[in-house]
Structure formats: C-alpha cells, structure tokens
Amino acid sequence: MFAGSIHKFYNSLQGVKAPNHKAQKLYRGFNGSQFNINDIIFVRNHLEKLFDCSAQQMIFQNIEIGINTTPGFYPQLFLKGLLLQKGKLFQFKYENQFAQVQLQQYYIKIYNKSEQYGMFENTLRVEIKVVKMEFIEPTGIETFADINTTTLKNAENLLLKVFDEVLYYDYTIDKKLLTNRQKQSLSNYSNPRYWLNDLQPNHRDRPKKYLQEIIVKYSENLKAEIREEIVKKCVIINRLSETPKCVIINTSYIGLNVTKNHTKKTYEKCIVTGVELYGKDIYSKYIRTSTLRYLKKHEVYKYIEVCNLLLNNSDPYHTKYENDII
C-alpha cells in the first residue's frame, strides 16, 4: 500500500516547489501548478519501475479529482458566497480560505490555492475527494492503467456535475439595479440558515431559480467563470504530446451535441485513437480524412482532441496540415 498526491510526487521528482517554500520548515509538497496527462504518465511509468509491477496492479482505494482554476478575481470573493451542497452547509477553515462539505460518497472542497502557496496568480481549486469508489464508476477508473484521455474527460464531467450542484450567493450582484422586492429576497438568499432552516428541501427549487436569474442578469457570475475555467484547464490537462503546451480553446466548442435528427450508425474503430471510422472505406483500420471531416462538423470536441493527438499538439484550426484535414 502507498498513498499520497501523484501531483506533488511529480513536482518533487522535478524539483518544483511552492513559491512560499522555506527550507527550515517541514516540506509537504506542492500541487498548485498545472498537471497534465503527460505528467501523469511519467509518474505511472516511474511507479511501475519503482515497485516492479504493472499499472493494472495499482488499484485505487481512494482518489481525489481536482482542478486548479485561474479566475480573473480574488478567490475569496467566490468562497464567501458558498452556501450548500446537497442540502448540507459548507464548513470553513483556515481563515475562511478553505470550504468543504462531507457527503456519504464524497467530499467537495473549494479553496484558495494561491493563498496557500503564496502564488502570484489567482488560483482557486475545485476538488472532490472520493470515499466510496462506486461514486466514480462512471469514469471507468479503477486502476492506474485506466488513466487516459477518455477517462479524464469522464472525470471532468463528474467534477462539473458536482460543481453545478453547489448553491452559492454572488457578492458581485449590483443591487442598484434591483427592485425592492428583489433586494428583500436577496437578504434571505445570502443567508445559508435561511435555506437550511426556513425552507423544506422540496421548497428550495423556486428560490434557487430566482436567485440564479438575478445572478445571471445583475452580477459578474463568478461561478460561471470558474466553470469555464474548469473546462479550459481540463482541456490543457488532457492534451497528449511530447511537448505539452497550454492551449485554451473556446468553451463553446466543447460538449456540443451531434446535429439534431442525425441518425448515428455503428462503425469500426481506429486501432490507434479509438475513434469510430466514419466514411466510405469500412475496412480501414486507421483514421482517415473523411472521419476528421465528419468529426469537425458533428463532434467538434472529439475533432479537437484527435487533432491534438495526431498533429503533435498543433492548433487544429491554424495548422500547416489544415488543407489535409478540412
């Protein structure tokens, strides 16, 4: 049995330390940097050699899934507005720079990573600590061998699902634009005890929607910005190349549905990328131009992911290979 953060382990191997690290203090590692799939694979290969075993033998007993976002605002502005998760109050520690809710299958943790490590860039971490592994069964992650671009995308979706369930109050709401009735409602909505004590669980949906409408119309919508940051950072983390670069793509290109009324057929899959081979030549074993054209039109996120894999991390919309694939 061994335990610990593979992110911190990687940084220790690379000699990367926190900005506020002091040699005279006990060193507990640093995980405030970005950590991509290449780094994960590096650690996996290192552990296979260290323990003389295969990745399939490394079974996860517990796991944490987290993203270091870099929003354009000081993290405390969002943290102080956290109210509930699944009907339970957020608990705060470390001068209110750390918030969490403990549920039956997982914890959700949201905290000011930049303050923790003395980082110049605003860094807010959103994390779920899984305590019952059945919670992450939809990700397909059971052993270290299961970590790949597909399962990391599944983990992103799980993290987003949990984050979407967070009930929060946005302190950037411009009250000068509100009616007296809206102002009166907000005095309740900003109070976590109101949600927990004054409202029955089955009576919370309507005020939640009303609060969300006010946030969308009259605030900077901090939660939406963090959500976009999660998606952007997950794209960075999920890039597989020999020389990873942080390329942020427009979030509107992510998670688009297949065009309506399109009937999806079953095709053979490329033995390298695992992508279904759309096109005339049904006997092909590898991805073809026709498949790339189909993905670009109908499944943009998958198109970008495949281009990242095949074109050595080039931008799929601005590349010297553009004429070959579009």
Side-chain angles (χ1 to χ4, degrees), residues 82-201:
L82 293 173
L83 299 170
L84 304 177
Q85 176 77 4
K86 292 282 191 179
K88 295 192 67 173
L89 288 173
F90 272 91
Q91 304 297 318
F92 293 85
K93 299 180 180 179
Y94 310 120
E95 298 180 350
N96 295 324
Q97 294 171 5
F98 176 96
Q100 76 171 19
V101 173
Q102 180 180 353
L103 298 169
Q104 187 175 11
Q105 293 187 314
Y106 69 92
Y107 293 61
I108 178 170
K109 303 177 183 180
I110 304 175
Y111 52 103
N112 190 341
K113 182 67 72 172
S114 49
E115 191 70 27
Q116 178 186 7
Y117 288 126
M119 301 165 64
F120 177 77
E121 187 174 32
N122 290 328
T123 304
L124 176 79
R125 184 169 179 84
V126 180
E127 176 180 298
I128 50 178
K129 176 182 178 181
V130 179
V131 293
K132 293 193 176 181
M133 290 301 289
E134 58 261 34
F135 181 71
I136 65 163
E137 284 181 358
T139 67
I141 297 173
E142 184 177 354
T143 74
F144 214 149
D146 298 325
I147 303 297
N148 54 51
T149 56
T150 298
T151 55
L152 285 179
K153 178 62 180 176
N154 295 339
E156 173 197 346
N157 291 336
L158 182 63
L159 183 64
L160 287 172
K161 178 180 179 296
V162 171
F163 184 67
D164 288 342
E165 294 169 345
V166 171
L167 177 62
Y168 91 113
Y169 176 82
D170 197 312
Y171 279 93
T172 67
I173 294 173
D174 189 347
K175 294 183 179 180
K176 296 190 298 292
L177 303 176
L178 304 181
T179 65
N180 289 333
R181 180 185 175 186
Q182 289 173 324
K183 292 177 182 178
Q184 185 176 1
S185 296
L186 286 183
S187 66
N188 288 326
Y189 295 163
S190 61
N191 183 0
R193 303 295 173 182
Y194 164 78
W195 297 95
L196 195 64
N197 300 331
D198 297 349
L199 293 176
Q200 294 296 322

